[in-house]
Short mmCIF file of all heavy atoms in Angstrom, two decimals:
data_model
loop_
_atom_site.label_atom_id
_atom_site.label_comp_id
_atom_site.label_asym_id
_atom_site.label_seq_id
_atom_site.Cartn_x
_atom_site.Cartn_y
_atom_site.Cartn_z
N GLU A 90 94.49 190.78 46.45
CA GLU A 90 95.43 190.34 47.48
C GLU A 90 94.70 190.09 48.81
O GLU A 90 95.01 189.12 49.51
CB GLU A 90 96.55 191.37 47.67
CG GLU A 90 97.49 191.51 46.48
CD GLU A 90 98.46 190.32 46.31
OE1 GLU A 90 98.49 189.42 47.17
OE2 GLU A 90 99.16 190.30 45.29
N VAL A 91 93.76 190.95 49.14
CA VAL A 91 92.98 190.74 50.37
C VAL A 91 92.16 189.45 50.23
O VAL A 91 92.10 188.63 51.16
CB VAL A 91 92.07 191.95 50.68
CG1 VAL A 91 91.13 191.66 51.84
CG2 VAL A 91 92.89 193.18 50.98
N GLY A 92 91.57 189.27 49.06
CA GLY A 92 90.80 188.05 48.81
C GLY A 92 91.65 186.80 48.99
O GLY A 92 91.23 185.81 49.58
N LYS A 93 92.87 186.89 48.51
CA LYS A 93 93.78 185.75 48.61
C LYS A 93 94.10 185.45 50.10
O LYS A 93 94.14 184.29 50.51
CB LYS A 93 95.07 186.06 47.86
CG LYS A 93 96.03 184.90 47.78
CD LYS A 93 97.27 185.30 47.00
CE LYS A 93 98.39 184.35 47.28
NZ LYS A 93 98.81 183.58 46.14
N LEU A 94 94.30 186.50 50.87
CA LEU A 94 94.53 186.30 52.32
C LEU A 94 93.31 185.65 52.97
O LEU A 94 93.44 184.77 53.82
CB LEU A 94 94.81 187.64 53.01
CG LEU A 94 96.15 188.33 52.65
CD1 LEU A 94 96.21 189.70 53.31
CD2 LEU A 94 97.33 187.49 53.12
N MET A 95 92.14 186.09 52.54
CA MET A 95 90.91 185.54 53.14
C MET A 95 90.71 184.08 52.76
O MET A 95 90.25 183.28 53.57
CB MET A 95 89.71 186.38 52.73
CG MET A 95 89.80 187.75 53.37
SD MET A 95 88.25 188.59 53.39
CE MET A 95 88.64 189.83 54.63
N VAL A 96 91.07 183.75 51.53
CA VAL A 96 91.00 182.35 51.13
C VAL A 96 91.99 181.54 51.94
O VAL A 96 91.70 180.42 52.40
CB VAL A 96 91.28 182.21 49.60
CG1 VAL A 96 91.54 180.75 49.21
CG2 VAL A 96 90.12 182.77 48.81
N ASP A 97 93.15 182.10 52.19
CA ASP A 97 94.15 181.43 53.02
C ASP A 97 93.62 181.25 54.44
O ASP A 97 93.93 180.26 55.12
CB ASP A 97 95.43 182.27 53.02
CG ASP A 97 96.65 181.42 53.32
OD1 ASP A 97 96.71 180.29 52.81
OD2 ASP A 97 97.51 181.88 54.09
N ALA A 98 92.80 182.21 54.89
CA ALA A 98 92.22 182.14 56.24
C ALA A 98 91.02 181.18 56.28
O ALA A 98 90.41 181.01 57.33
CB ALA A 98 91.82 183.53 56.69
N GLY A 99 90.67 180.60 55.13
CA GLY A 99 89.61 179.58 55.11
C GLY A 99 88.21 180.10 54.86
O GLY A 99 87.23 179.39 55.07
N LEU A 100 88.11 181.34 54.38
CA LEU A 100 86.79 181.96 54.24
C LEU A 100 86.21 181.85 52.84
O LEU A 100 86.95 181.93 51.84
CB LEU A 100 86.86 183.45 54.60
CG LEU A 100 87.44 183.81 55.96
CD1 LEU A 100 87.48 185.33 56.13
CD2 LEU A 100 86.60 183.18 57.05
N VAL A 101 84.91 181.74 52.76
CA VAL A 101 84.22 181.94 51.48
C VAL A 101 84.03 183.46 51.37
O VAL A 101 83.25 184.06 52.09
CB VAL A 101 82.86 181.20 51.44
CG1 VAL A 101 82.08 181.60 50.19
CG2 VAL A 101 83.11 179.70 51.44
N THR A 102 84.82 184.05 50.50
CA THR A 102 84.91 185.50 50.39
C THR A 102 84.06 185.97 49.22
O THR A 102 84.19 185.47 48.11
CB THR A 102 86.38 185.90 50.15
OG1 THR A 102 87.18 185.21 51.13
CG2 THR A 102 86.60 187.38 50.26
N VAL A 103 83.18 186.92 49.51
CA VAL A 103 82.27 187.41 48.48
C VAL A 103 82.68 188.85 48.17
O VAL A 103 82.78 189.66 49.10
CB VAL A 103 80.82 187.36 48.99
CG1 VAL A 103 79.85 187.80 47.91
CG2 VAL A 103 80.47 185.96 49.50
#
Side-chain angles (χ1 to χ4, degrees):
E90 292 287 353
V91 172
K93 186 180 162 115
L94 291 174
M95 292 199 163
V96 167
D97 204 40
L100 305 178
V101 171
T102 311
V103 183

